[in-house]
Amino acid sequence: VFVWLFMWLQLGSVFLAITGMFEILISVVISMSTWKLFGNEGITFYQALVVYIILGIGADDIFVFLDAWKQARTAGKAVNESLQTRFQWTFTRASNAMLVTSTTTIVAFLLSSITDIPDISTFAQFAALVVIWDLVLVLTWFPASVVVHDRYFVSRADGSCASKCCGCCVTCCAEQWGLTEKSIQGKSEGAGELRWIERFFNDTLWNFLKGPVTKWVVVAIFFCLFLAGVICASTTVALTKKSIIDTIMVDGAELQEVLGLVTGNAGHFAQGNIDVKSTGYFVFGVDTGNPVSRGGTDPYHGGDEPEDIAKQLGKINWDTSKSLDTMVAQTEVKAACEKMRTIPSVVTNGLTQQKEVYCFMEDFERYRVAKGLSFPVPDGTLKQALADWKDDTSFASETAYENTNFTGVAQKNFDDQNLYKAKTNWVIVDGELRAYWVAGNNSLGTFVQDLDQIKPEYDEWDKVADEINDGDGLKAMVVTDRTAWIAIMDALVRGITTGVPLSFVLAYVVLILATTNWIVASIAIVSIMGVLSSFFITFALAGWELDFYSTIFFQLTVGLAVDYIVHVAHAFNESGAESREDKMRDSLTEMGVSVLSGAISTLGASVFLFSATFLLFFQYGAFIFFVIMWSIIWALFFFPTIMMMIGPQGQQGDIVPLRQAMARICGKGT
């Protein structure tokens, strides 16, 4: 609603505000259909959040086109000779700017999708798809709407229809501020005049930024911001020590306090309470180097059947180099259970004074000995012997299948006998024994997800697994309740440390291709880096930490940060002026209103998320708000200033062969 109202005020027309908002929202709907056509099952919760991003990007493109349309009035008589000539001038000017910025944003989002985390990958892919469709519509649907508006709502009524049909208050204010436009005929005598806000960028801001003293002050301030951001990023920003449960709600939220009471923390755990202890496993029979093939998987595929689960998670790669149905395999699994008891993090039960280890092979041996049978059983007979043990309900409970007397866990905690099968068991596939697993309870609680604590715990398990695997016997793969969380956080951090720099590199390549000038592209990419660096200052001052949500959003910051600086850079590059000062004056006059309007619409849309109780929404809104805030600040202050100081003049910095090639592609000659 805020974005639509702001568009109405800025565009000065209810009709254009409606058609513009329709264009933005329908791009999301079309993207959903396209997403489905690509074979995806549906739209995820995270993907739905893309609407906040496209509200800003879509509104920005609309403002770019409308401002170019209004600026056409000052472009001379030849441009305003007819509606067609005016449209051609506007479309050429605006489409180039929108294409460059949208391409840079799309590339940044696509790079963010190169990750092992499905939520990030699908979010970034869908965001790129929405931006593509928005670009298509803003180059087709919205220009057609502008022509219809000019032909039927402005030209025929000479501007009077707007005040009659759309309400006097907003329209009159908009007219006073120079935001509405009259017909082509009605403005012919005013050709060459700038709106007040264009005069602000053309005169006031331009003169301020190029002042002999202020330009050095501006550069010094932004240099300090850049340096402070780098320091904050390297010294203050750290991974969170909170669990995912502790970061569902914002701090102080009543529901978050309830969750804390329900789940407890590491200090509240009773030693005999197995429900709150994490578990580690040794798994035998799986290819430890490549345990799962994920080709063709869809994490959002529905269904509970085995084939559906395989579609969701992938196909297990069994290790067929060693048979599990041998006497040697039985003794090796039993030995692994003994080694598990040497792991320091495996808890000693306070009541039984035993290590809490679940080992079906030890229990199977006790059963065999109690019945006067041999152990280990001969090669090729283990599968049947295990089945006999499982089916033997008449034997003493101490050696019966699912017996828990020797796990080290207090018996009162074993109300659910299915827990035994979950902790230690075997798998038969196509009539063959394919996998065993044995387990031990760890001393840390399930909801402790501080990597400084759980990573050493995992390393202890991994070290013992290496000892087991140091030979020609069965290979043990370590799986703990922490494995997925450690892998997720490693992937998220890797996405920031590798994905973000790669996004900058590809954004630089796009800027080189778009501007065909290495100086413009280089200063622009440094400015975009400055946006991210400044955001780290906000991140540190707010006391935020890199948790699950923030690491996701960090990988999308480059896609959000590029728009405004690229708009100004492209307008500078397209200016026909010779001196760098005059080029920047043209750029600010042409793009200043558009980027400021786009920033206001995005800031306004995101600020409403600040009141959210769920941390996901709050952080998402905060990331958008502060990235856009810093982006517009760098785009309107640092970038123009530094460009007027060291930017190219004339053909300085032009990559001539590339410019000639791009000119031929675009049909502009050489």
Side-chain angles (χ1 to χ4, degrees):
V1 174
F2 170 84
V3 174
W4 183 83
L5 289 174
F6 183 75
M7 287 174 59
W8 179 11
L9 177 66
Q10 181 72 345
L11 304 179
S13 167
V14 169
F15 174 79
L16 290 179
I18 291 174
T19 55
M21 183 57 68
F22 175 80
E23 172 249 305
I24 294 172
L25 297 180
I26 201 65
S27 66
V28 178
V29 176
I30 297 175
S31 298
M32 290 179 178
S33 300
T34 308
W35 184 259
K36 184 72 174 179
L37 288 175
F38 285 157
N40 298 288
E41 293 290 330
I43 302 299
T44 68
F45 174 75
Y46 289 104
Q47 288 172 299
L49 297 176
V50 169
V51 68
Y52 288 95
I53 293 177
I54 202 59
L55 279 172
I57 294 175
D60 178 55
D61 287 340
I62 288 170
F63 294 140
V64 167
F65 190 90
L66 251 295
D67 284 328
W69 180 258
K70 294 174 182 179
Q71 290 162 4
R73 298 174 309 185
T74 67
K77 186 175 180 180
V79 171
N80 289 280
E81 183 178 351
S82 66
L83 182 62
Q84 180 178 353
T85 57
R86 185 184 184 189
F87 179 83
Q88 289 174 336
W89 185 91
T90 301
F91 189 85
T92 302
R93 189 184 188 96
S95 62
N96 288 339
M98 292 186 292
L99 187 61
V100 171
T101 54
S102 295
T103 301
T104 311
T105 303
I106 291 166
V107 168
F109 280 140
L110 288 178
L111 280 174
S112 299
S113 72
I114 305 175
T115 175
D116 296 328
I117 310 300
D119 286 334
I120 299 178
S121 180
T122 55
F123 178 90
Q125 291 169 11
F126 188 70
L129 185 61
V130 173
V131 175
I132 290 172
W133 274 115
D134 178 74
L135 177 63
V136 171
L137 291 172
V138 82
L139 293 176
T140 53
W141 163 267
F142 191 71
S145 301
V146 172
V147 172
V148 169
H149 175 263
D150 190 85
R151 179 169 292 178
Y152 298 106
F153 289 83
V154 175
S155 296
R156 290 190 175 183
D158 197 24
S160 61
C161 179
S163 61
K164 290 181 180 180
C165 300
C166 305
C168 180
C169 178
V170 173
T171 306
C172 290
C173 290
E175 288 176 356
Q176 285 184 347
W177 297 347
L179 300 178
T180 48
E181 80 172 299
K182 308 299 182 182
S183 64
I184 295 175
Q185 295 88 342
K187 289 298 292 184
S188 59
E189 70 276 12
E193 294 180 1
L194 296 175
R195 295 172 290 165
W196 74 267
I197 195 166
E198 290 171 335
R199 290 196 299 272
F200 168 79
F201 286 104
N202 183 73
D203 297 325
T204 308
L205 182 61
W206 180 72
N207 283 312
F208 172 78
L209 295 178
K210 77 181 186 70
V213 177
T214 54
K215 65 182 180 182
W216 290 106
V217 173
V218 169
V219 171
I221 290 173
F222 280 88
F223 175 79
C224 292
L225 282 174
F226 193 104
L227 186 61
V230 172
I231 294 173
C232 288
S234 58
T235 61
T236 306
V237 177
L239 287 172
T240 184
K241 298 181 183 299
K242 296 180 179 180
S243 72
I244 192 71
I245 294 295
D246 293 329
T247 55
I248 292 178
M249 303 288 179
V250 296
D251 290 340
E254 183 176 343
L255 183 54
Q256 184 66 63
E257 300 299 325
V258 173
L259 286 171
L261 290 173
V262 171
T263 59
N265 56 56
H268 295 154
F269 292 140
Q271 278 190 304
N273 190 346
I274 59 171
D275 293 330
V276 293
K277 294 172 185 173
S278 65
T279 305
Y281 301 84
F282 286 148
V283 181
F284 301 90
V286 175
D287 185 349
T288 56
N290 183 30
V292 180
S293 296
R294 300 191 182 277
T297 58
D298 179 2
Y300 305 108
H301 178 79
D304 299 324
E305 298 299 323
E307 58 270 19
D308 295 321
I309 296 175
K311 178 69 175 177
Q312 297 163 15
L313 304 178
K315 181 181 178 182
I316 297 175
N317 295 321
W318 305 112
D319 181 5
T320 57
S321 63
K322 299 287 183 180
S323 173
L324 300 185
D325 197 348
T326 65
M327 298 177 70
V328 172
Q330 295 168 61
T331 56
E332 287 177 345
V333 172
K334 182 183 173 185
C337 294
E338 283 299 322
K339 280 187 171 292
M340 187 183 296
R341 292 186 173 90
T342 67
I343 299 175
S345 58
V346 174
V347 68
T348 298
N349 188 277
L351 298 178
T352 65
Q353 295 301 307
Q354 299 177 33
K355 288 281 189 174
E356 296 187 1
V357 172
Y358 307 83
C359 184
F360 79 90
M361 195 65 75
E362 291 179 342
D363 295 333
F364 176 62
E365 179 187 19
R366 293 187 186 97
Y367 166 79
R368 298 282 300 182
V369 171
K371 294 202 70 171
L373 302 173
S374 64
F375 178 88
V377 301
D379 294 356
T381 64
L382 179 59
K383 182 182 71 171
Q384 185 59 50
L386 289 173
D388 292 341
W389 174 43
K390 187 175 182 180
D391 294 336
D392 189 353
T393 58
S394 62
F395 206 69
S397 61
E398 290 186 354
T399 55
Y401 176 69
E402 294 183 348
N403 164 59
T404 59
N405 289 330
F406 303 99
T407 61
V409 179
Q411 297 305 294
K412 65 178 181 179
N413 295 309
F414 265 102
D415 296 331
D416 183 5
Q417 293 297 310
N418 288 324
L419 184 60
Y420 181 91
K421 292 185 289 185
K423 299 285 188 177
T424 181
N425 216 327
W426 60 90
V427 172
I428 297 176
V429 178
D430 297 329
E432 298 289 336
L433 279 169
R434 286 301 182 196
Y436 305 138
W437 66 88
V438 292
N441 285 335
N442 291 311
S443 55
L444 291 177
T446 302
F447 296 108
V448 177
Q449 291 177 306
D450 177 5
L451 289 179
D452 289 340
Q453 297 184 59
I454 65 176
K455 193 66 165 63
E457 175 191 85
Y458 179 85
D459 290 341
E460 291 176 1
W461 280 80
D462 201 41
K463 179 181 178 181
V464 174
D466 288 341
E467 295 174 3
I468 295 172
N469 296 337
D470 187 19
D472 296 329
L474 296 180
K475 305 301 180 184
M477 183 180 73
V478 177
V479 179
T480 75
D481 292 346
R482 323 295 189 174
T483 303
W485 182 249
I486 293 172
I488 287 172
M489 293 306 295
D490 284 346
L492 290 172
V493 173
R494 188 168 58 250
I496 295 176
T497 56
T498 62
V500 171
L502 186 58
S503 294
F504 278 118
V505 171
L506 279 223
Y508 183 64
V509 171
V510 173
L511 285 168
I512 287 286
L513 293 174
T515 63
T516 64
N517 188 293
W518 69 268
I519 298 177
V520 175
S522 299
I523 297 176
I525 205 66
V526 169
S527 301
I528 295 169
M529 290 179 181
V531 174
L532 188 59
S533 179
S534 299
F535 179 74
F536 275 115
I537 298 176
T538 304
F539 197 87
L541 290 177
W544 295 335
E545 296 176 315
L546 286 175
D547 55 29
F548 179 74
Y549 301 130
S550 61
T551 48
I552 290 177
F553 300 144
F554 248 120
Q555 298 185 52
L556 306 173
T557 52
V558 177
L560 291 173
V562 299
D563 260 22
Y564 307 132
I565 293 170
V566 173
H567 270 312
V568 179
H570 181 263
F572 177 95
N573 198 61
E574 292 292 304
S575 171
E578 282 296 319
S579 71
R580 59 173 72 101
E581 290 86 359
D582 289 338
K583 279 177 172 285
M584 183 48 64
R585 188 174 202 167
D586 291 344
S587 176
L588 288 173
T589 305
E590 178 185 341
M591 280 296 165
V593 180
S594 302
V595 297
L596 182 60
S597 300
I600 292 173
S601 62
T602 308
L603 293 171
S606 60
V607 76
F608 292 101
L609 291 173
F610 282 11
S611 62
T613 303
F614 283 95
L615 187 63
L616 166 65
F617 295 118
F618 174 82
Q619 283 189 342
Y620 186 60
F623 265 74
I624 294 176
F625 183 91
F626 288 109
V627 170
I628 295 301
M629 181 194 76
W630 285 115
S631 181
I632 194 64
I633 291 173
W634 279 79
L636 293 182
F637 291 94
F638 174 79
F639 183 73
T641 303
I642 199 70
M643 287 293 285
M644 286 191 285
M645 294 175 67
I646 62 173
Q649 300 193 97
Q651 294 183 337
Q652 186 182 12
D654 284 354
I655 306 174
V656 178
L658 179 60
R659 171 156 290 198
Q660 291 174 342
M662 296 299 290
R664 285 193 294 270
I665 293 172
C666 298
K668 296 181 179 180
T670 60

